[in-house]
Amino acid sequence: MHRRELSRALTQFASNETWSDAPDRALSLNELSRRLRVHSRQLPLLQNLNLDAPDRRIVHYAVLRERGPLPSLVDIYTLDHALLFVRENTKCGIVEMYKPPIPLDLLLMPPDTADGQRQSTSAPITFVHRGRNSSITLLARSTVVRTGLLDQITAQQAILWQQRAIFKLVRFLPKNATAATCVAPLDKWKSALIATHDGIYRHDRLGERSHPYKVLASSPITSIDVAENWRLLFVLSENTLSAFPLDSLSREQPISPHRHSQVISNMTSFFMLGIVFGKMVVAVVRSRPLDSYIKLYEIVNSTRLPSSLKAGPDDTLVSFSEGSTITIKFMKRIEHPIEISWIRLGSSKISIGCSKGISLVDIQTLYTQDLIDPHYAPSSPLARIESGTRPLGMFRIDSEFLLCYESMAFFVSAGGGKALQSTIIYWEGEPTAFALRAPYIFAFSASFVEIRHLGTGELAQTLHGANMRCLSLPSELRGTAGIGDAAPPPYRAQAVEMVHEDLLLLHSNDDIMNVQRLGVPLEPEESSTSKPLSSPVY
């Protein structure tokens, strides 16, 4: 017998033998939960699966087969929220996880592209996990089995999407109006400044279909932010941070504002505005692999400065044109031995995120400590996952802090120890930015936004797009208090309203979109004077 014929015979034998084991393999939900075993590295998958949830149920069960010369059976459980792949170990009486479960929100099933030679015993189905950019192809026993499984999954997806319709994406600007790198608010989002590759545009009268117009011509802009009380616009372009008076922005002459601008720093990786010691501060970060630093500048009224104070070699004083009463004064320099990824300004401390973790620096004394208590670190959720995951953000919620890493998020107490809130969130995607809208945390990945509930960690909804980026800097990131601060009123975990004055904008498919809560108008009501519980703190 030729080798090819032998392989075909073995395949047919294995196939017949495997399919004959298919009947009566289905398990109840309780039995599945009891018998399912996972490796330690798969524990996050088991938590997201949450088989013991009160409303958890099995929608459909099917048996598929691996491809290859000696295939084995794979049990497919369509749950109300996810697709579960398991394989039964009859010797040990357990069920093993075959592949990571796929949330139905993130499941794609491309049309079958087989070449027409498919037999009735070989109907392929490809499952794509949109969050992990992975796929698996299995074989159904017949086209009837294949069709039945796909119909059940599609129907459950439709039900789930309807149940999880909490937020929606609403176009913020006319389609393809401009390609934005970031957006900053003016007058509580009644207007917005939009940074692009060729300058800054202004968009007025939110909710109307007016087009943005250029107010500042400039080279490619990395980021912008506005200190409205001081009527200043800060622009980072080609590592140079400049300040422009808002009143100098001109629709007729976009080049004219440069005559009134002042350079704050020409070696800037990124910057942030915030309130420190009750003062408006600009934090300028120079990030390098082996040594970095943060310079703090205070925005002051020049009429209150001593007449003897002059500009010096260390950017001691930056003044604007004659007649202006605004001066930017050097305040403090903070050295850091590692490349800085992000910072958060507190009332008296700065939180610094880097590849080694999160550090906390006292601005007055420059005393530095790890945010997570060293005694708690070995038993913290961070110790259970592979090393090397980087911190990407932090938020204050009630009296505790939510720390967001590349692969997970968890709470710590005000002292950096174990928190009362025990929720641990494991991301399905690969987030690059986060935003807080209590009781939800938004994680931005390239192809979708993952929205999870802070109290349970469960996936509440996903918003899909392409090349998605967070554009607006949520105001809670400008005033997050550090550990040990006499902290301002925080977000409250029970608040459920979106903050109208603090829009959450993102870039998707070359459009600028707003994440809007269903049933909430885009434009804030003029008559409303009260703030919802989730109002950000400056």
Side-chain angles (χ1 to χ4, degrees):
M1 183 180 293
H2 294 292
R3 182 178 299 176
R4 181 177 299 178
E5 293 175 349
L6 177 61
S7 176
R8 186 179 304 167
L10 287 173
T11 301
Q12 184 66 31
F13 174 76
S15 176
N16 292 337
E17 183 182 44
T18 308
W19 285 125
S20 65
D21 294 335
D24 301 323
R25 289 168 57 98
L27 302 176
S28 67
L29 186 61
N30 289 336
E31 191 174 4
L32 180 63
S33 176
R34 180 176 58 83
R35 294 176 58 184
L36 182 61
R37 298 292 184 271
V38 298
H39 299 292
S40 57
R41 65 178 182 274
Q42 295 177 317
L43 288 176
L45 304 176
L46 193 60
Q47 176 175 309
N48 283 348
L49 197 59
N50 196 10
L51 291 176
D52 297 325
D55 56 349
R56 190 66 64 241
R57 63 189 180 91
I58 297 175
V59 176
H60 184 70
Y61 168 77
V63 180
L64 303 183
R65 179 169 60 86
E66 292 178 311
R67 296 192 297 182
L70 295 173
S72 61
L73 290 183
V74 179
D75 297 298
I76 309 297
Y77 289 89
T78 305
L79 305 177
D80 58 286
H81 72 307
L83 196 66
L84 175 61
F85 304 84
V86 298
R87 188 159 48 186
E88 188 170 5
N89 187 330
T90 55
K91 293 182 179 179
C92 301
I94 62 173
V95 175
E96 300 172 337
M97 192 174 290
Y98 175 69
K99 291 290 183 181
I102 305 178
L104 296 185
D105 301 67
L106 302 175
L107 173 63
L108 295 178
M109 295 172 293
D112 179 26
T113 56
D115 59 2
Q117 298 179 356
R118 183 181 65 217
Q119 301 176 3
S120 61
T121 57
S122 179
I125 310 177
T126 298
F127 304 98
V128 179
H129 192 314
R130 190 168 185 172
R132 304 182 188 277
N133 295 319
S134 61
S135 64
I136 177 176
T137 299
L138 299 171
L139 302 178
R141 188 168 192 171
S142 67
T143 54
V144 174
V145 174
R146 179 184 188 275
T147 302
L149 175 59
L150 295 183
D151 288 347
Q152 290 286 343
I153 293 174
T154 303
Q156 183 58 29
Q157 282 181 316
I159 294 173
L160 191 65
W161 291 332
Q162 185 175 10
Q163 292 174 343
R164 291 181 170 179
I166 306 171
F167 301 94
K168 63 179 178 179
L169 294 179
V170 178
R171 185 170 286 115
F172 180 74
L173 293 179
K175 187 172 178 62
N176 298 324
T178 184
T181 57
C182 60
V183 180
L186 285 177
D187 193 17
K188 295 183 179 180
W189 285 109
K190 292 179 181 177
S191 298
L193 294 178
I194 306 159
T196 70
H197 66 283
D198 65 343
I200 295 178
Y201 292 75
R202 178 167 178 158
H203 178 57
D204 297 322
R205 299 184 301 277
L206 293 186
E208 300 181 11
R209 294 192 174 276
S210 59
H211 284 266
Y213 54 89
K214 184 181 286 189
V215 294
L216 176 64
S218 179
S219 52
I221 294 173
T222 304
S223 63
I224 61 174
D225 205 352
V226 175
E228 281 203 76
N229 291 341
W230 295 90
R231 304 296 297 167
L232 287 179
L233 166 66
F234 292 87
V235 179
L236 178 59
S237 176
E238 297 181 336
N239 295 325
T240 298
L241 178 63
S242 303
F244 295 80
L246 281 175
D247 298 333
S248 70
L249 301 183
S250 171
R251 182 173 188 171
E252 290 73 23
Q253 294 182 322
I255 196 68
S256 62
H258 290 278
R259 297 197 299 266
H260 306 281
S261 68
Q262 286 293 339
V263 174
I264 309 301
S265 172
N266 55 14
M267 293 185 295
T268 305
S269 302
F270 60 92
F271 75 99
M272 173 166 282
L273 303 183
I275 305 296
V276 177
F277 298 125
K279 305 171 183 177
M280 190 65 189
V281 167
V282 185
V284 179
V285 180
R286 174 64 168 172
S287 183
R288 294 178 290 193
L290 298 180
D291 65 311
S292 304
Y293 62 79
I294 303 169
K295 285 186 177 181
L296 301 181
Y297 296 86
E298 179 188 355
I299 306 176
V300 298
N301 189 326
S302 57
T303 59
R304 300 177 182 177
L305 290 174
S307 57
S308 58
L309 188 59
K310 304 292 184 182
D314 192 26
D315 303 326
T316 306
L317 205 63
V318 178
S319 299
F320 288 87
S321 58
E322 186 176 353
S324 173
T325 60
I326 298 176
T327 299
I328 299 177
K329 183 183 68 170
F330 175 76
M331 181 178 175
K332 181 83 74 171
R333 177 179 172 125
I334 301 173
E335 303 286 346
H336 193 71
I338 306 173
E339 186 173 9
I340 299 175
S341 302
W342 53 268
I343 63 171
R344 298 290 179 265
L345 296 176
S347 58
S348 63
K349 296 178 175 63
I350 294 183
S351 301
I352 301 176
C354 62
S355 59
K356 299 296 185 180
I358 304 176
S359 301
L360 196 66
V361 180
D362 187 292
I363 297 175
Q364 196 163 15
T365 65
L366 300 184
Y367 174 73
T368 303
Q369 66 185 85
D370 291 335
L371 188 143
I372 300 179
D373 190 323
H375 296 94
Y376 174 61
S379 59
S380 71
L382 196 61
R384 306 173 198 170
I385 62 174
E386 58 185 21
S387 59
T389 183
R390 295 184 302 118
L392 299 178
M394 61 176 289
F395 301 89
R396 181 167 183 225
I397 302 172
D398 294 332
S399 59
E400 298 178 333
F401 292 83
L402 177 67
L403 309 183
C404 298
Y405 288 76
E406 288 177 310
S407 59
M408 67 182 303
F410 62 95
F411 288 85
V412 296
S413 67
K418 186 176 181 179
L420 295 176
Q421 173 63 274
S422 60
T423 301
I424 304 175
I425 298 173
Y426 295 99
W427 310 115
E428 290 289 347
E430 298 175 350
T432 58
F434 301 92
L436 180 68
R437 294 293 182 272
Y440 301 103
I441 180 74
F442 292 70
F444 292 82
S445 296
S447 59
F448 66 96
V449 180
E450 185 175 348
I451 306 172
R452 289 187 175 270
H453 195 280
L454 292 169
T456 63
E458 290 190 354
L459 185 64
Q461 188 181 1
T462 56
L463 300 172
H464 297 268
N467 302 316
M468 302 181 84
R469 291 181 291 107
C470 184
L471 291 178
S472 59
L473 179 66
S475 59
E476 72 268 8
L477 300 189
R478 301 178 185 139
T480 303
I483 304 291
D485 278 352
Y491 278 80
R492 296 185 181 177
Q494 68 270 23
V496 296
E497 295 293 333
M498 285 288 285
V499 183
H500 296 198
E501 298 86 354
D502 195 20
L503 302 184
L504 184 55
L505 302 182
L506 58 88
H507 178 278
S508 177
N509 297 314
D510 296 326
D511 287 333
I512 299 178
M513 311 294 288
N514 174 42
V515 180
Q516 181 181 338
R517 189 177 179 90
L518 291 176
V520 177
L522 175 63
E523 199 162 352
E525 298 179 9
E526 296 291 342
S527 59
S528 177
T529 57
S530 61
K531 282 190 175 183
L533 291 177
S534 56
S535 298
V537 178
Y538 288 88

